[in-house]
Amino acid sequence: MKNLFDNTKILNINLKNRFFRSAVWENLADDKGHLTDRLKVVYEDLAKGGVGTIITGYAFITEEEQPNPGMMGIYEDSFIEEYKELTEKVHELGSNIVMQIVYGGFMSSFNIHDRIIFGPSNMTCETTGAKAKEMTKQEIDYVVKSFADAALRVKKSGFDGVQIHAAHGYLLSQFLSPYYNKRTDEYGGCIENRGRIIFEVYKAIRNKVGEEFPIFIKLNSEDGLDSGGLTRDDSLYVAKKLSELGINAIEVSGGNSAIKKVAQNNLGAGRKKILGSKEKESYFKEYAKQLASQIDIPVILVGGNRSLDVMNELLNEHDIEYFSLARPLISEPDLINQWSEGSKKYPKCISCSNCYKEEKPCILT
């Protein structure tokens, strides 16, 4: 019988347990994306708290394209030495650390009038008003290359792997979604074409970092729309194709809160009102079960993981190998240690998603 505290491996990474800290936007880096003392403390506390593998907050890959303030950057080599200090410290404290990299697109309210924002098509964000221009083939090539260059910096910085952010309405997931992608060229139309940029990003990264460096992806299971968005079947096609190409693990998420209907129906990535019913926990589990039964690489489930018994059941009955937590580890960075010491406690996180509001009721300061 599998255990949530098993020692396992993904490629060449040794994992001391099956828990990941999923990426969250900390809003603690400086204006250029460099580390601050407060941000270092966040990662040190997570490592001390027992989580097996930390996925960093998303890092922007080109200097001119920063979708939110306070994000980490990885757009030039000047970041490598400071990140080496971070990765060495996290390793000393007993955890792995993977960097998530992103091209944001119009999923942003930050400096939206001062820069060109790329998108699969000409469009305006429903929630922020940011406008995107349809990318040319040359601009797509530029973004693909920027992902690959950033991933090589991630490797040189001592991270244990890199994660491509292709969920939650950011650029790569916009290409997947027919809600946004209206292109008529080789990057639009059928799912093979809509997924093309992601396959190119993966291949470009692999060519840069080699076969022994782990590459993960965070992928939307679906957008959360009844019709017109990314469907589960299309997402499964992309996930299986990436598995065939050689990606090392897929973190399953979903929802796009830039679409008003999705946000209004509480179908985004960070859902509220999940307490009091184990059926509402682990809310992308049905897709994750289906995917785990169809591919040979690990599936990491994120989204409302709260109860140890629910996660144990998913681990042992449905081949879901790993579990990511985000909001619970903001309020209790030592939660995994508490569980490893025998506690069966329910996290104190109430899934209110107020973690980063001004009053910061949960986040450590």
Side-chain angles (χ1 to χ4, degrees):
M1 184 173 179
K2 297 176 183 176
N3 189 286
L4 291 167
F5 292 92
D6 287 337
N7 295 314
T8 61
K9 290 189 74 169
I10 297 178
L11 198 57
N12 57 3
I13 308 178
N14 294 307
L15 298 94
K16 67 181 180 182
N17 56 50
R18 297 181 185 270
F19 293 106
F20 282 70
R21 194 298 289 256
S22 193
V24 296
W25 168 48
E26 294 100 355
N27 194 17
L28 292 175
D30 73 12
D31 291 344
K32 293 292 186 179
H34 290 278
L35 289 170
T36 61
D37 289 341
R38 289 183 67 201
L39 187 50
K40 292 175 188 176
V41 167
V42 168
Y43 291 118
E44 289 174 15
D45 285 347
L46 285 164
K48 291 174 185 175
V51 66
T53 304
I54 300 164
I55 302 177
T56 70
Y58 52 7
F60 57 109
I61 60 172
T62 70
E63 186 172 11
E64 73 277 6
E65 202 283 326
Q66 181 179 351
N68 277 305
M71 289 177 62
M72 299 164 72
I74 191 66
Y75 54 82
E76 63 183 27
D77 290 350
S78 67
F79 289 95
I80 293 172
E81 290 305 314
E82 68 187 81
Y83 286 144
K84 279 184 179 178
E85 294 181 15
L86 173 66
T87 57
E88 288 170 4
K89 183 64 175 178
V90 168
H91 291 151
E92 285 175 13
L93 294 170
S95 290
N96 303 311
I97 184 165
V98 171
M99 176 169 269
Q100 184 187 83
I101 56 177
V102 69
Y103 194 99
F106 78 177
M107 183 71 164
S108 173
S109 58
F110 184 62
N111 291 339
I112 60 175
H113 303 297
D114 299 328
R115 56 191 173 93
I116 295 173
I117 297 174
F118 291 154
S121 306
N122 295 318
M123 54 195 188
T124 302
C125 182
E126 296 174 22
T127 56
T128 68
K131 296 182 184 299
K133 71 169 288 290
E134 182 170 307
M135 297 171 72
T136 65
K137 179 63 169 68
Q138 290 73 28
E139 289 164 342
I140 289 172
D141 291 343
Y142 167 70
V143 168
V144 170
K145 181 178 184 300
S146 296
F147 267 105
D149 291 343
L152 182 58
R153 295 184 194 106
V154 170
K155 180 180 180 180
K156 289 179 177 179
S157 300
F159 288 93
D160 297 286
V162 64
Q163 185 184 61
I164 304 162
H165 195 351
H168 305 168
Y170 293 100
L171 181 71
L172 296 183
S173 67
Q174 291 170 11
F175 268 87
L176 288 181
S177 177
Y179 188 83
Y180 294 126
N181 188 342
K182 310 299 184 184
R183 301 177 73 97
T184 57
D185 64 1
E186 68 269 35
Y187 293 92
C190 63
I191 187 57
E192 293 90 340
N193 286 349
R194 285 183 277 124
R196 187 180 304 275
I197 188 173
I198 292 177
F199 307 143
E200 290 179 350
V201 165
Y202 167 74
K203 291 174 184 176
I205 290 176
R206 181 61 77 198
N207 285 338
K208 283 278 187 177
V209 302
E211 295 297 326
E212 299 304 313
F213 190 69
I215 304 174
F216 304 94
I217 192 166
K218 190 169 197 170
L219 187 68
N220 257 20
S221 53
E222 54 194 345
D223 284 343
L225 294 169
D226 293 332
S227 63
L230 176 69
T231 65
R232 185 179 294 186
D233 285 344
D234 280 355
S235 178
L236 285 167
Y237 169 84
V238 174
K240 288 189 283 187
K241 178 70 172 179
L242 287 165
S243 174
E244 292 167 4
L245 289 172
I247 207 160
N248 301 108
I250 297 175
E251 186 181 29
V252 169
S253 189
N256 179 355
S257 295
I259 301 173
K260 287 183 178 179
K261 187 175 181 180
V262 173
Q264 290 165 354
N265 290 325
N266 191 33
L267 293 174
R271 297 182 186 178
K272 302 178 183 180
K273 302 178 181 178
I274 65 171
L275 302 184
S277 169
K278 290 182 179 179
E279 289 301 312
K280 293 181 180 179
E281 295 180 19
S282 306
Y283 37 78
F284 299 117
K285 58 181 176 286
E286 295 305 321
Y287 172 92
K289 291 177 190 177
Q290 192 174 357
L291 179 60
S293 70
Q294 296 181 25
I295 62 175
D296 295 325
I297 61 170
V299 170
I300 307 165
L301 175 61
V302 71
N305 293 319
R306 297 292 183 271
S307 299
L308 285 173
D309 54 349
V310 171
M311 289 184 277
N312 264 312
E313 178 184 342
L314 292 168
L315 171 65
N316 283 287
E317 296 184 15
H318 300 287
D319 296 321
I320 299 169
E321 294 287 336
Y322 299 98
F323 299 88
S324 286
L325 297 93
R327 291 174 292 176
L329 296 181
I330 294 174
S331 56
E332 294 178 279
D334 66 338
L335 178 62
I336 308 304
N337 275 344
Q338 294 180 57
W339 282 342
S340 71
E341 292 164 2
S343 172
K344 303 290 186 183
K345 67 165 288 184
Y346 197 85
K348 76 176 186 180
C349 171
I350 61 170
S351 305
C352 66
S353 292
N354 289 328
C355 313
Y356 294 106
K357 290 188 176 179
E358 284 301 313
E359 62 272 20
K360 293 182 173 64
C362 296
I363 190 171
L364 296 176
T365 55

